[in-house]
Amino acid sequence: MTTLVLTAHGSADPRSAANTRAVAQQVARMRPEVDVEVAFCEHNSPGLVEVLNGCPGAAVVSPLLLADAYHARVDIPGQIARCAASHRVCQADVLGEDDRLVSVLRQRVTELGVSPLDDTLGVLVVAIGSSNAAANARTAEVAPKLLADTRWTAATTAFASHPEPSLAEAANQLRRRGARRVVIAPWFLAPGRLPDRVQRFARGAGIAMAAPLGAHRLVAATVLDRFDQAAAERVAA
């Protein structure tokens, strides 16, 4: 049996780890025949190397990450290389800008009481951001995707970890493009310290902010798709 090791970055905020475990539970409910384990790169236990060393057979490390940046490209592969049976381990792709996740984000916005037909609305997608420009460019694709099947005026992206454009500047850009009202759509999987910082900005600016993607069924479905693809490629190789 191939073990699915759902691997998150980890956080000092316990809500983040709780969300990771909730996603793992959702994955296990959807695919009860698959052994699902949770691991973290840092901050939380168990660590990825520890979990991989305890797997009895082959394992697929499935990153619970949205962006294909440092943690997916450097951190996780480095930890896989340090485990005792690295030859039995492969790594799945990150979740990325999957259309299903964009649909969850759209749902989170409408949960604020926003109508998809509101043509006065501008949506500010806020993501973590990366030092990898290509990863940021892919993340920026979420905003135009979010407008599909709506009449919202405009959407744009800002990165919480980057100074430019600031969240305030990005919101003003939307207003200059015709939005009379702005909401924030957080491109985050879970609550945490960085989303809290965005929430503080939103409160101060009088802007409503949607919930993160969370442990939605479509998040779990995307994890399983990445797992299936990696497991199939491993068998083919």
Side-chain angles (χ1 to χ4, degrees):
M1 179 182 290
T2 299
T3 301
L4 188 162
V5 182
L6 186 68
T7 305
H9 171 252
S11 170
D13 190 315
R15 295 172 296 171
S16 179
N19 185 75
T20 300
R21 298 185 194 284
V23 173
Q25 290 168 1
Q26 182 74 271
V27 169
R29 283 194 294 270
M30 293 171 67
R31 194 74 66 81
E33 71 276 13
V34 173
D35 180 30
V36 180
E37 299 288 343
V38 169
F40 300 93
C41 292
E42 56 184 87
H43 295 298
N44 305 108
S45 295
L48 178 55
V49 174
E50 175 189 348
V51 171
L52 291 175
N53 283 340
C55 288
V60 172
V61 174
S62 296
L64 190 61
L65 300 170
L66 292 172
D68 185 19
Y70 175 82
H71 295 296
R73 290 177 173 267
V74 178
D75 195 6
I76 290 176
Q79 296 200 33
I80 290 173
R82 294 203 300 274
C83 77
S86 58
H87 61 284
R88 296 190 312 217
V89 180
C90 65
Q91 180 178 337
D93 289 338
V94 298
L95 304 183
E97 301 72 41
D98 192 281
D99 288 345
R100 289 166 295 191
L101 303 185
V102 175
S103 74
V104 175
L105 187 62
R106 192 180 302 114
Q107 177 184 325
R108 297 300 187 225
V109 172
T110 61
E111 287 168 357
L112 294 172
V114 171
S115 167
L117 303 179
D118 184 352
D119 60 3
T120 70
L121 188 76
V123 183
L124 174 54
V125 177
V126 181
I128 294 174
S130 167
S131 58
N132 185 317
N136 290 338
R138 287 190 293 271
T139 300
E141 296 172 5
V142 171
K145 284 185 174 186
L146 191 62
L147 296 178
D149 301 320
T150 76
R151 293 178 63 185
W152 297 337
T153 301
T156 193
T157 303
F159 297 101
S161 59
H162 289 194
E164 296 180 359
S166 69
L167 302 186
E169 289 167 344
N172 286 333
Q173 287 175 14
L174 289 169
R175 294 184 182 103
R176 288 194 294 270
R177 291 165 63 184
R180 295 203 292 272
R181 184 160 64 109
V182 174
V183 299
I184 290 177
W187 188 241
F188 295 100
L189 285 162
R193 293 183 175 184
L194 201 52
D196 282 353
R197 189 194 307 170
V198 179
Q199 181 70 72
R200 286 193 292 274
F201 161 78
R203 278 199 208 98
I207 296 174
M209 177 170 162
L213 302 180
H216 195 283
R217 189 177 187 280
L218 291 179
V219 174
T222 307
V223 169
L224 282 168
D225 272 4
R226 303 295 183 266
F227 167 76
D228 288 341
Q229 181 180 7
E233 289 174 354
R234 184 180 183 280
V235 170

